[in-house]
């Protein structure tokens, strides 16, 4: 996994603030693979339905940007219990829980 301890802590803290302490954050995509270089940070966040809206996602992005100053972060939010989309299935299959 190609994230620093600082990046992991910042992502987890921002997710807790924006989506609640029961949110599950997964890293997926190219950053999961140690043998690759570069790539954006792909995050899949599973949250309670009442905390998985666009306002929470926007808050998460702002908090993350303040903590990391990362411009290349892709975020997918999935309300817990909702039908899985293709991106949810991919993130669950290959993702690593932070």
């Amino acid at each position: 996994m190609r994230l620093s301890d600082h990046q992991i802590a910042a992502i987890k803290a921002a997710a807790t603030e924006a989506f609640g302490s029961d949110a599950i954050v997964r890293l997926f995509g190219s950053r999961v693979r140690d043998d690759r270089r570069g790539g954006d940070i792909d995050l899949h966040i599973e949250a309670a339905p009442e905390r998985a809206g666009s306002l929470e996602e926007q808050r998460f992005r702002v908090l993350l940007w303040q903590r990391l100053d990362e411009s290349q972060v892709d975020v997918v939010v999935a309300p817990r219990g909702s039908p899985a989309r293709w991106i949810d299935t991919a993130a669950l299959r290959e993702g690593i829980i932070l």
Side-chain angles (χ1 to χ4, degrees):
M1 173 174 51
R2 292 181 295 115
L3 288 181
S4 69
D5 291 341
H6 170 71
Q7 289 172 312
I8 293 168
I11 291 166
K12 289 168 69 171
T16 297
E17 282 186 53
F19 300 105
S21 61
D22 63 340
I24 299 171
V25 182
R26 288 179 180 85
L27 175 70
F28 71 104
S30 63
R31 291 281 184 123
V32 170
R33 304 251 330 250
D34 291 332
D35 62 333
R36 298 233 175 136
R37 301 191 80 162
D40 54 0
I41 299 173
D42 297 313
L43 300 171
H44 180 274
I45 301 170
E46 183 182 328
E50 65 274 7
R51 302 281 310 259
S54 58
L55 290 177
E56 289 83 6
E57 181 179 343
Q58 183 63 34
R59 182 167 186 229
F60 173 75
R61 289 176 181 277
V62 168
L63 291 167
L64 196 57
W65 186 82
Q66 290 171 342
R67 290 180 168 110
L68 293 181
D69 193 24
E70 289 276 348
S71 61
Q72 294 186 1
V73 178
D74 293 328
V75 179
V76 177
V77 179
R80 190 170 290 117
S82 64
R85 303 165 291 187
W86 71 268
I87 193 75
D88 301 320
T89 303
L92 291 171
R93 182 180 56 242
E94 69 180 60
I96 298 172
I97 295 177
L98 300 182

XYZ file of all heavy atoms in Angstrom:
766
model
N 0.860 -1.181 0.000
C 0.000 0.000 0.000
C 0.895 1.229 0.000
O 1.781 1.343 0.827
C -0.900 -0.035 1.228
C -1.698 1.213 1.403
S -2.917 1.189 2.730
C -2.006 0.650 4.119
N 0.630 2.114 -0.939
C 1.472 3.293 -1.082
C 0.815 4.543 -0.512
O 0.475 5.483 -1.215
C 1.843 3.493 -2.542
C 2.769 2.403 -3.043
C 3.177 2.574 -4.482
N 2.052 2.455 -5.393
C 1.584 3.432 -6.151
N 2.137 4.594 -6.166
N 0.543 3.226 -6.940
N 0.639 4.535 0.807
C 0.218 5.709 1.551
C 1.103 5.807 2.786
O 1.444 4.789 3.379
C -1.237 5.599 2.018
C -2.359 5.714 1.005
C -3.706 5.600 1.701
C -2.290 7.010 0.223
N 1.439 7.024 3.168
C 2.240 7.205 4.382
C 1.330 7.097 5.603
O 0.096 7.194 5.503
C 2.919 8.570 4.359
O 1.953 9.605 4.506
N 1.942 6.912 6.755
C 1.173 6.882 8.005
C 0.408 8.185 8.204
O -0.732 8.179 8.665
C 2.095 6.628 9.202
C 2.659 5.218 9.216
O 2.088 4.334 8.547
O 3.681 4.999 9.904
N 1.029 9.295 7.825
C 0.368 10.606 7.935
C -0.871 10.670 7.041
O -1.932 11.153 7.469
C 1.348 11.721 7.562
C 0.698 13.055 7.412
N 0.216 13.777 8.483
C 0.422 13.781 6.302
C -0.329 14.908 8.031
N -0.221 14.929 6.714
N -0.760 10.184 5.819
C -1.899 10.188 4.902
C -3.037 9.312 5.434
O -4.198 9.711 5.383
C -1.480 9.710 3.520
C -0.608 10.686 2.764
C -0.056 10.097 1.492
O 0.466 8.976 1.499
N -0.153 10.845 0.395
N -2.692 8.136 5.931
C -3.709 7.229 6.477
C -4.426 7.874 7.648
O -5.663 7.859 7.722
C -3.077 5.883 6.887
C -2.588 5.135 5.640
C -4.074 5.028 7.659
C -1.709 3.945 5.950
N -3.677 8.460 8.570
C -4.285 9.105 9.743
C -5.190 10.261 9.328
O -6.288 10.429 9.878
C -3.193 9.589 10.694
N -4.759 11.048 8.362
C -5.558 12.182 7.896
C -6.849 11.713 7.239
O -7.922 12.295 7.461
C -4.742 13.032 6.923
N -6.769 10.674 6.419
C -7.957 10.141 5.748
C -8.948 9.604 6.773
O -10.143 9.890 6.708
C -7.556 9.041 4.735
C -6.794 9.667 3.561
C -8.777 8.268 4.252
C -6.069 8.662 2.677
N -8.462 8.828 7.728
C -9.347 8.245 8.740
C -9.995 9.330 9.602
O -11.194 9.254 9.898
C -8.566 7.260 9.602
C -8.203 5.986 8.838
C -7.199 5.125 9.548
C -7.747 4.478 10.783
N -6.811 3.477 11.350
N -9.230 10.340 9.984
C -9.782 11.424 10.810
C -10.841 12.210 10.048
O -11.908 12.529 10.587
C -8.660 12.348 11.279
N -10.576 12.518 8.792
C -11.548 13.266 7.986
C -12.815 12.447 7.777
O -13.928 12.984 7.834
C -10.923 13.651 6.641
N -12.670 11.146 7.556
C -13.836 10.284 7.362
C -14.678 10.210 8.633
O -15.912 10.263 8.561
C -13.399 8.887 6.944
N -14.044 10.107 9.772
C -14.780 10.062 11.038
C -15.553 11.353 11.252
O -16.720 11.326 11.643
C -13.813 9.803 12.212
O -13.220 8.516 12.028
C -14.536 9.838 13.541
N -14.913 12.495 10.980
C -15.589 13.787 11.153
C -16.763 13.948 10.192
O -17.818 14.445 10.573
C -14.609 14.937 10.942
C -13.718 15.193 12.120
C -12.870 16.436 11.926
O -13.441 17.512 11.615
O -11.645 16.325 12.080
N -16.572 13.549 8.957
C -17.601 13.775 7.936
C -18.700 12.725 7.933
O -19.871 13.050 7.759
C -16.949 13.840 6.559
N -18.331 11.454 8.130
C -19.288 10.358 7.963
C -19.638 9.627 9.255
O -20.517 8.768 9.244
C -18.736 9.334 6.960
C -18.486 9.903 5.589
C -17.199 10.170 5.172
C -19.533 10.170 4.731
C -16.952 10.688 3.912
C -19.312 10.688 3.472
C -18.014 10.958 3.060
N -18.947 9.916 10.342
C -19.214 9.238 11.606
C -18.178 8.156 11.896
O -17.464 7.693 11.007
N -18.126 7.753 13.148
C -17.101 6.804 13.591
C -17.303 5.392 13.049
O -16.387 4.577 13.096
C -17.052 6.768 15.113
O -18.299 6.348 15.629
N -18.481 5.105 12.515
C -18.724 3.756 11.984
C -18.467 3.653 10.475
O -18.692 2.607 9.875
C -20.149 3.302 12.306
C -21.209 4.174 11.659
O -20.913 5.327 11.277
O -22.357 3.717 11.549
N -17.959 4.712 9.874
C -17.645 4.683 8.442
C -16.473 3.735 8.186
O -15.540 3.650 8.987
C -17.308 6.079 7.939
N -16.541 3.035 7.076
C -15.462 2.129 6.662
C -14.804 2.740 5.431
O -15.474 3.012 4.431
C -16.001 0.726 6.334
C -16.651 0.119 7.567
C -14.881 -0.170 5.807
C -17.404 -1.171 7.293
N -13.496 2.963 5.517
C -12.750 3.573 4.420
C -11.822 2.526 3.816
O -11.046 1.892 4.527
C -11.920 4.772 4.914
C -11.185 5.430 3.756
C -12.794 5.783 5.636
N -11.921 2.371 2.504
C -11.051 1.438 1.784
C -10.238 2.198 0.747
O -10.771 3.043 0.026
C -11.881 0.384 1.052
C -12.519 -0.635 1.931
C -13.350 -1.637 1.112
N -13.958 -2.610 1.982
C -15.129 -2.414 2.627
N -15.785 -1.293 2.468
N -15.604 -3.364 3.403
N -8.979 1.851 0.667
C -8.132 2.309 -0.417
C -8.215 1.257 -1.513
O -8.120 0.056 -1.230
C -6.688 2.440 0.063
C -5.658 2.800 -1.014
C -5.852 4.238 -1.481
C -4.253 2.590 -0.473
N -8.425 1.682 -2.746
C -8.430 0.743 -3.868
C -7.752 1.403 -5.058
O -7.320 2.546 -4.981
C -9.854 0.250 -4.186
C -10.765 1.277 -4.803
C -11.061 1.231 -6.157
C -11.349 2.278 -4.034
C -11.920 2.157 -6.734
C -12.207 3.205 -4.605
C -12.490 3.147 -5.955
N -7.600 0.660 -6.118
C -6.938 1.207 -7.294
C -5.433 1.006 -7.237
O -4.922 0.152 -6.513
N -4.710 1.826 -7.981
C -3.272 1.620 -8.150
C -2.465 1.802 -6.870
O -1.408 1.187 -6.716
C -2.731 2.559 -9.232
O -2.899 3.906 -8.845
N -2.940 2.604 -5.930
C -2.180 2.829 -4.690
C -2.144 1.605 -3.783
O -1.359 1.538 -2.849
C -2.752 4.010 -3.905
C -2.544 5.350 -4.548
C -1.130 5.847 -4.304
N -0.965 7.180 -4.831
C -0.586 8.226 -4.119
N -0.303 8.096 -2.853
N -0.459 9.388 -4.695
N -2.975 0.621 -4.056
C -2.953 -0.626 -3.279
C -1.701 -1.430 -3.626
O -1.171 -2.158 -2.790
C -4.235 -1.450 -3.554
C -4.135 -2.845 -2.976
C -5.444 -0.731 -2.998
N -1.228 -1.271 -4.845
C -0.114 -2.079 -5.351
C 1.227 -1.402 -5.089
O 1.464 -0.285 -5.553
C -0.283 -2.294 -6.857
C -1.603 -2.920 -7.253
C -1.540 -4.327 -7.740
N -0.355 -4.748 -8.391
C -0.255 -5.027 -9.688
N -1.306 -4.870 -10.480
N 0.868 -5.467 -10.197
N 2.103 -2.093 -4.372
C 3.430 -1.559 -4.066
C 4.343 -1.530 -5.284
O 5.315 -0.772 -5.307
C 4.099 -2.392 -2.962
C 3.429 -2.211 -1.616
O 2.848 -1.135 -1.380
O 3.480 -3.149 -0.800
N 4.048 -2.319 -6.300
C 4.904 -2.396 -7.477
C 4.584 -1.339 -8.532
O 5.193 -1.309 -9.587
C 4.830 -3.795 -8.105
C 3.424 -4.139 -8.581
O 2.442 -3.613 -8.022
O 3.302 -4.965 -9.512
N 3.642 -0.465 -8.235
C 3.273 0.597 -9.179
C 3.815 1.933 -8.693
O 4.224 2.076 -7.554
C 1.754 0.671 -9.308
C 1.149 -0.591 -9.845
C 0.280 -0.287 -11.021
N -0.221 -1.503 -11.612
C -1.467 -1.659 -11.989
N -2.334 -0.696 -11.827
N -1.840 -2.784 -12.556
N 3.755 2.920 -9.564
C 4.198 4.265 -9.213
C 3.084 5.241 -9.558
O 2.300 5.006 -10.464
C 5.435 4.630 -10.011
C 6.572 3.649 -9.756
C 7.798 4.183 -10.343
N 8.296 5.167 -9.375
C 9.513 5.630 -9.352
N 10.364 5.272 -10.247
N 9.888 6.497 -8.445
N 3.055 6.348 -8.813
C 2.100 7.405 -9.110
C 0.664 6.978 -8.874
O 0.391 6.055 -8.132
N -0.240 7.672 -9.526
C -1.664 7.372 -9.403
C -2.339 8.216 -8.347
O -1.713 8.673 -7.402
N -3.608 8.427 -8.556
C -4.365 9.182 -7.577
C -4.744 8.278 -6.401
O -4.521 7.070 -6.433
C -5.601 9.831 -8.210
C -6.477 8.835 -8.946
O -6.148 7.643 -8.980
O -7.500 9.249 -9.484
N -5.298 8.875 -5.376
C -5.751 8.131 -4.204
C -7.236 7.837 -4.397
O -8.056 8.760 -4.436
C -5.518 8.937 -2.905
C -4.027 9.212 -2.711
C -6.099 8.198 -1.705
C -3.717 10.145 -1.552
N -7.576 6.560 -4.564
C -8.961 6.133 -4.759
C -9.500 5.618 -3.428
O -8.953 4.659 -2.872
C -9.046 5.026 -5.807
C -8.572 5.493 -7.172
O -9.003 6.580 -7.602
O -7.784 4.778 -7.804
N -10.559 6.256 -2.929
C -11.143 5.882 -1.648
C -12.602 5.487 -1.813
O -13.365 6.169 -2.512
C -11.058 7.049 -0.656
C -9.650 7.549 -0.329
C -9.729 8.834 0.493
C -8.853 6.479 0.393
N -12.973 4.413 -1.167
C -14.358 3.952 -1.120
C -14.793 4.060 0.328
O -14.146 3.516 1.222
C -14.450 2.500 -1.588
C -15.836 1.961 -1.574
N -16.408 1.395 -0.457
C -16.770 1.903 -2.554
C -17.637 1.013 -0.752
N -17.878 1.310 -2.021
N -15.862 4.803 0.559
C -16.346 5.017 1.922
C -17.747 4.462 2.048
O -18.653 4.844 1.302
C -16.331 6.512 2.293
C -14.900 7.034 2.164
C -16.889 6.733 3.686
C -14.757 8.517 2.269
N -17.900 3.548 2.997
C -19.206 2.970 3.313
C -19.678 3.619 4.602
O -18.978 3.565 5.616
C -19.058 1.468 3.494
C -20.352 0.749 3.755
C -20.131 -0.738 3.967
O -19.197 -1.301 3.367
O -20.896 -1.317 4.746
N -20.846 4.253 4.558
C -21.351 4.987 5.715
C -22.841 4.730 5.912
O -23.529 4.266 4.998
C -21.104 6.488 5.529
N -23.320 5.045 7.093
C -24.746 4.936 7.380
C -25.518 5.785 6.368
O -25.051 6.866 5.979
C -25.033 5.409 8.798
N -26.673 5.301 5.903
C -27.420 6.023 4.867
C -27.667 7.498 5.189
O -27.573 8.345 4.295
C -28.741 5.250 4.773
C -28.402 3.880 5.234
C -27.336 4.057 6.288
N -27.941 7.800 6.433
C -28.218 9.197 6.802
C -26.959 10.057 6.843
O -27.042 11.278 6.954
C -28.961 9.271 8.146
C -28.168 8.793 9.335
C -28.247 7.286 9.563
O -28.813 6.546 8.739
O -27.725 6.860 10.602
N -25.773 9.442 6.730
C -24.502 10.175 6.759
C -23.732 10.015 5.444
O -22.554 10.310 5.392
C -23.611 9.665 7.900
C -24.164 9.733 9.296
C -24.117 11.099 9.952
N -22.874 11.799 9.933
C -22.012 11.893 10.943
N -22.247 11.265 12.065
N -20.918 12.618 10.829
N -24.381 9.521 4.396
C -23.691 9.215 3.143
C -24.131 10.114 1.993
O -24.121 9.693 0.836
C -23.901 7.744 2.785
N -24.473 11.350 2.292
C -24.953 12.254 1.259
C -23.868 13.135 0.673
O -22.696 13.074 1.052
N -24.273 13.972 -0.249
C -23.324 14.847 -0.939
C -22.721 15.893 -0.006
O -21.563 16.291 -0.184
C -23.980 15.515 -2.144
O -25.105 16.256 -1.744
N -23.464 16.338 0.999
C -22.903 17.313 1.949
C -21.774 16.700 2.763
O -20.740 17.337 2.981
C -23.995 17.851 2.885
C -25.029 18.756 2.244
C -26.094 19.158 3.264
C -24.369 19.982 1.654
N -21.963 15.461 3.195
C -20.914 14.777 3.942
C -19.686 14.523 3.057
O -18.545 14.680 3.501
C -21.423 13.451 4.522
C -22.403 13.609 5.662
C -23.846 13.841 5.205
O -24.121 13.773 3.988
O -24.697 14.104 6.065
N -19.942 14.152 1.811
C -18.826 13.927 0.888
C -18.043 15.217 0.665
O -16.810 15.223 0.671
C -19.321 13.383 -0.446
C -18.199 13.116 -1.418
C -18.658 12.561 -2.748
O -19.799 12.076 -2.844
O -17.851 12.613 -3.700
N -18.741 16.312 0.485
C -18.067 17.603 0.289
C -17.262 17.979 1.530
O -16.126 18.443 1.424
C -19.086 18.698 -0.042
C -18.457 20.034 -0.317
C -17.548 20.015 -1.531
O -17.803 19.302 -2.500
N -16.478 20.771 -1.498
N -17.838 17.771 2.700
C -17.121 18.064 3.950
C -15.854 17.217 4.044
O -14.796 17.704 4.421
C -18.021 17.812 5.150
C -17.347 18.143 6.458
C -18.330 18.186 7.604
N -17.632 18.637 8.781
C -17.694 18.043 9.958
N -18.477 17.004 10.120
N -17.016 18.501 10.981
N -15.959 15.928 3.709
C -14.808 15.044 3.720
C -13.712 15.570 2.791
O -12.539 15.630 3.170
C -15.226 13.627 3.313
C -14.075 12.681 3.146
C -13.414 12.173 4.251
C -13.665 12.299 1.887
C -12.343 11.300 4.102
C -12.599 11.419 1.725
C -11.938 10.921 2.841
N -14.086 15.959 1.596
C -13.101 16.461 0.631
C -12.393 17.710 1.156
O -11.176 17.852 1.007
C -13.766 16.752 -0.711
C -14.187 15.510 -1.462
C -14.929 15.886 -2.754
N -15.358 14.735 -3.484
C -14.594 14.038 -4.318
N -13.346 14.402 -4.521
N -15.065 12.998 -4.951
N -13.145 18.612 1.757
C -12.549 19.828 2.307
C -11.597 19.489 3.454
O -10.469 19.987 3.503
C -13.648 20.814 2.782
C -13.068 21.943 3.611
C -14.411 21.366 1.582
N -12.044 18.643 4.366
C -11.196 18.247 5.495
C -9.922 17.560 5.008
O -8.824 17.820 5.526
C -11.964 17.317 6.439
C -13.098 17.947 7.232
C -13.973 16.859 7.866
C -12.550 18.884 8.288
N -10.067 16.703 4.032
C -8.910 15.984 3.504
C -7.939 16.938 2.820
O -6.722 16.851 3.006
C -9.375 14.902 2.533
C -8.379 13.833 2.189
C -7.886 13.111 3.444
C -9.001 12.829 1.243
N -8.459 17.856 2.046
C -7.608 18.826 1.378
C -6.860 19.686 2.394
O -5.673 19.973 2.225
C -8.440 19.713 0.447
C -7.573 20.627 -0.352
C -6.900 20.326 -1.501
C -7.263 21.982 -0.039
N -6.196 21.420 -1.919
C -6.397 22.454 -1.045
C -7.633 22.844 0.990
C -5.895 23.747 -1.046
C -7.132 24.132 0.994
C -6.272 24.581 -0.026
N -7.528 20.079 3.479
C -6.878 20.873 4.528
C -5.741 20.100 5.190
O -4.714 20.662 5.546
C -7.892 21.292 5.596
C -8.881 22.316 5.117
C -9.999 22.552 6.114
O -10.248 21.764 7.014
N -10.690 23.674 5.948
N -5.935 18.807 5.357
C -4.940 17.988 6.053
C -3.815 17.495 5.144
O -2.697 17.318 5.598
C -5.630 16.791 6.694
C -6.505 17.200 7.860
C -7.184 15.987 8.478
N -7.784 16.355 9.731
C -9.095 16.438 9.944
N -9.932 16.155 8.971
N -9.564 16.781 11.116
N -4.131 17.247 3.880
C -3.146 16.648 2.991
C -2.729 17.521 1.818
O -1.710 17.281 1.203
C -3.687 15.331 2.408
C -3.889 14.185 3.355
C -4.406 12.968 2.599
C -2.590 13.840 4.070
N -3.551 18.484 1.463
C -3.299 19.305 0.284
C -3.129 18.432 -0.956
O -2.261 18.655 -1.781
C -2.077 20.196 0.499
C -1.967 21.287 -0.557
O -2.999 21.655 -1.144
O -0.847 21.753 -0.802
N -3.931 17.388 -1.029
C -3.913 16.466 -2.165
C -5.015 16.855 -3.142
O -6.168 16.969 -2.763
C -4.168 15.025 -1.707
C -3.039 14.413 -0.941
C -1.976 13.819 -1.848
O -2.221 13.683 -3.052
O -0.906 13.506 -1.323
N -4.665 17.032 -4.384
C -5.683 17.378 -5.372
C -6.174 16.153 -6.138
O -7.221 16.203 -6.761
C -5.134 18.415 -6.352
O -4.015 17.891 -7.033
N -5.421 15.060 -6.091
C -5.794 13.885 -6.866
C -6.343 12.785 -5.969
O -5.716 11.754 -5.760
C -4.598 13.389 -7.665
C -4.167 14.375 -8.719
C -3.073 13.809 -9.595
O -2.652 12.681 -9.439
N -2.614 14.602 -10.533
N -7.514 13.048 -5.422
C -8.206 12.063 -4.589
C -9.577 11.819 -5.201
O -10.334 12.757 -5.435
C -8.362 12.553 -3.135
C -9.131 11.547 -2.310
C -7.008 12.840 -2.504
N -9.878 10.556 -5.487
C -11.196 10.172 -5.980
C -11.940 9.508 -4.834
O -11.400 8.631 -4.161
C -11.091 9.203 -7.153
C -10.494 9.850 -8.394
O -10.708 11.062 -8.580
O -9.826 9.152 -9.162
N -13.181 9.940 -4.620
C -13.975 9.443 -3.497
C -15.278 8.851 -4.024
O -15.978 9.487 -4.814
C -14.293 10.571 -2.494
C -15.133 10.059 -1.343
C -13.010 11.218 -1.976
N -15.576 7.644 -3.571
C -16.847 6.981 -3.864
C -17.518 6.716 -2.527
O -16.916 6.102 -1.646
C -16.625 5.646 -4.612
C -17.946 4.933 -4.835
C -15.901 5.875 -5.924
N -18.735 7.209 -2.365
C -19.474 7.014 -1.115
C -20.629 6.060 -1.369
O -21.390 6.229 -2.326
C -20.000 8.355 -0.568
C -20.785 8.138 0.721
C -18.857 9.338 -0.334
N -20.728 5.055 -0.505
C -21.793 4.056 -0.622
C -22.591 4.016 0.673
O -22.022 3.758 1.739
C -21.205 2.685 -0.906
N -23.885 4.292 0.607
C -24.720 4.128 1.795
C -24.775 2.652 2.192
O -25.020 1.788 1.339
C -26.097 4.621 1.352
C -25.858 5.404 0.106
C -24.640 4.808 -0.522
N -24.492 2.380 3.440
C -24.510 0.992 3.929
C -25.876 0.362 3.654
O -26.906 0.950 3.911
C -24.206 0.982 5.428
C -23.965 -0.387 5.994
C -23.442 -0.331 7.416
N -22.067 0.185 7.415
C -21.699 1.325 8.009
N -22.558 2.048 8.661
N -20.442 1.717 7.952
N -25.866 -0.840 3.083
C -27.098 -1.572 2.807
C -27.708 -1.301 1.453
O -28.686 -1.943 1.074
N -27.139 -0.370 0.691
C -27.691 -0.079 -0.635
C -27.179 -1.116 -1.639
O -26.153 -1.757 -1.412
C -27.297 1.327 -1.074
O -25.899 1.418 -1.229
N -27.872 -1.291 -2.756
C -27.400 -2.238 -3.767
C -26.009 -1.842 -4.275
O -25.728 -0.660 -4.489
C -28.431 -2.110 -4.890
C -29.653 -1.546 -4.238
C -29.149 -0.671 -3.124
N -25.153 -2.828 -4.451
C -23.781 -2.570 -4.882
C -23.723 -2.189 -6.351
O -24.333 -2.846 -7.194
C -22.912 -3.796 -4.623
N -22.985 -1.131 -6.639
C -22.684 -0.731 -8.011
C -21.388 -1.428 -8.419
O -20.694 -2.004 -7.591
C -22.497 0.794 -8.076
C -23.727 1.558 -7.563
C -23.388 2.995 -7.288
N -22.491 3.045 -6.115
C -22.103 4.164 -5.516
N -22.487 5.325 -5.982
N -21.306 4.123 -4.469
N -21.024 -1.351 -9.674
C -19.795 -2.003 -10.131
C -18.581 -1.477 -9.381
O -17.674 -2.235 -9.046
C -19.630 -1.874 -11.645
C -19.293 -0.481 -12.092
C -20.166 0.497 -12.469
C -17.996 0.094 -12.170
N -19.490 1.651 -12.771
C -18.144 1.430 -12.605
C -16.708 -0.386 -11.922
C -17.064 2.287 -12.792
C -15.634 0.479 -12.107
C -15.826 1.801 -12.547
N -18.546 -0.172 -9.097
C -17.401 0.417 -8.405
C -17.333 -0.060 -6.952
O -16.251 -0.265 -6.404
C -17.422 1.961 -8.504
C -16.094 2.563 -8.065
C -18.571 2.560 -7.706
C -14.980 2.413 -9.060
N -18.495 -0.265 -6.330
C -18.524 -0.801 -4.959
C -17.961 -2.219 -4.942
O -17.150 -2.567 -4.076
C -19.957 -0.811 -4.408
C -20.592 0.562 -4.373
O -19.908 1.542 -4.027
O -21.787 0.650 -4.696
N -18.378 -3.028 -5.905
C -17.908 -4.408 -5.992
C -16.395 -4.458 -6.186
O -15.697 -5.239 -5.540
C -18.626 -5.148 -7.130
O -20.041 -5.082 -6.901
C -18.194 -6.596 -7.217
N -15.880 -3.602 -7.055
C -14.434 -3.559 -7.298
C -13.677 -3.129 -6.046
O -12.656 -3.727 -5.694
C -14.123 -2.618 -8.458
N -14.174 -2.112 -5.367
C -13.498 -1.618 -4.156
C -13.538 -2.666 -3.038
O -12.551 -2.828 -2.307
C -14.149 -0.325 -3.685
N -14.648 -3.374 -2.906
C -14.747 -4.415 -1.883
C -13.820 -5.578 -2.204
O -13.215 -6.167 -1.301
C -16.178 -4.901 -1.763
C -17.184 -3.911 -1.180
C -18.597 -4.442 -1.326
C -16.866 -3.604 0.268
N -13.680 -5.890 -3.482
C -12.862 -7.027 -3.902
C -11.373 -6.740 -3.739
O -10.627 -7.562 -3.229
C -13.170 -7.374 -5.361
C -12.419 -8.583 -5.891
C -12.742 -8.906 -7.350
N -12.486 -7.773 -8.212
C -13.420 -7.153 -8.940
N -14.668 -7.547 -8.914
N -13.111 -6.130 -9.701
N -10.910 -5.568 -4.165
C -9.482 -5.304 -4.173
C -9.020 -4.309 -3.113
O -7.826 -4.109 -2.926
C -9.047 -4.795 -5.536
C -9.565 -3.400 -5.858
C -9.130 -2.887 -7.220
O -9.478 -3.533 -8.212
O -8.446 -1.860 -7.262
N -9.962 -3.693 -2.414
C -9.618 -2.631 -1.489
C -9.005 -3.117 -0.175
O -9.165 -4.249 0.225
N -8.313 -2.198 0.466
C -7.714 -2.422 1.767
C -8.359 -1.449 2.740
O -8.351 -0.226 2.509
C -6.194 -2.178 1.736
C -5.510 -3.153 0.788
C -5.596 -2.272 3.134
C -4.033 -2.856 0.563
N -8.899 -1.964 3.833
C -9.518 -1.110 4.845
C -8.433 -0.346 5.575
O -7.443 -0.922 6.034
C -10.371 -1.930 5.825
C -11.552 -2.553 5.092
C -10.858 -1.047 6.981
C -12.422 -3.450 5.952
N -8.616 0.972 5.659
C -7.651 1.801 6.393
C -7.987 1.848 7.869
O -9.087 1.690 8.273
C -7.641 3.229 5.823
C -7.274 3.358 4.357
C -7.263 4.836 3.952
C -5.935 2.741 4.065
